[in-house]
Amino acid sequence: MTTSIKRGFSREEAAEYAGVSVYKIAKAIRDNKLIARKDSEKSKDVIVFREDLDAYMDQWAVAS
């Protein structure tokens, strides 16, 4: 059996993956801090690729 790794996330799935609120993900997208893609201009749904989400989280400050 092969295990597939999910590459794209909805806002809700991205928030769960990152351990933050959907609001924080949506704000990061609005502020152009996190890349999100649409499949068409009229689509309201966005996809956040795992590699973009990982890069965004890599920029977070380390807690001390």
Side-chain angles (χ1 to χ4, degrees):
M1 183 169 103
T2 60
T3 304
S4 64
I5 296 174
K6 190 168 185 158
R7 184 170 179 222
F9 299 111
S10 67
R11 286 181 186 103
E12 293 79 10
E13 292 167 331
E16 184 176 337
Y17 175 82
V20 298
S21 69
V22 175
Y23 173 79
K24 182 169 178 124
I25 295 296
K27 184 170 179 356
I29 293 168
R30 276 194 314 274
D31 294 346
N32 293 317
K33 293 180 179 179
L34 175 59
I35 298 169
R37 294 167 169 82
K38 294 182 180 184
D39 64 351
S40 72
E41 282 293 320
K42 295 182 180 181
S43 178
K44 292 182 182 178
D45 297 332
V46 298
I47 300 296
V48 177
F49 287 158
R50 177 186 299 271
E51 55 266 23
D52 295 327
L53 186 53
D54 287 338
Y56 169 65
M57 291 189 306
D58 287 343
Q59 296 174 10
W60 293 354
V62 176
S64 54

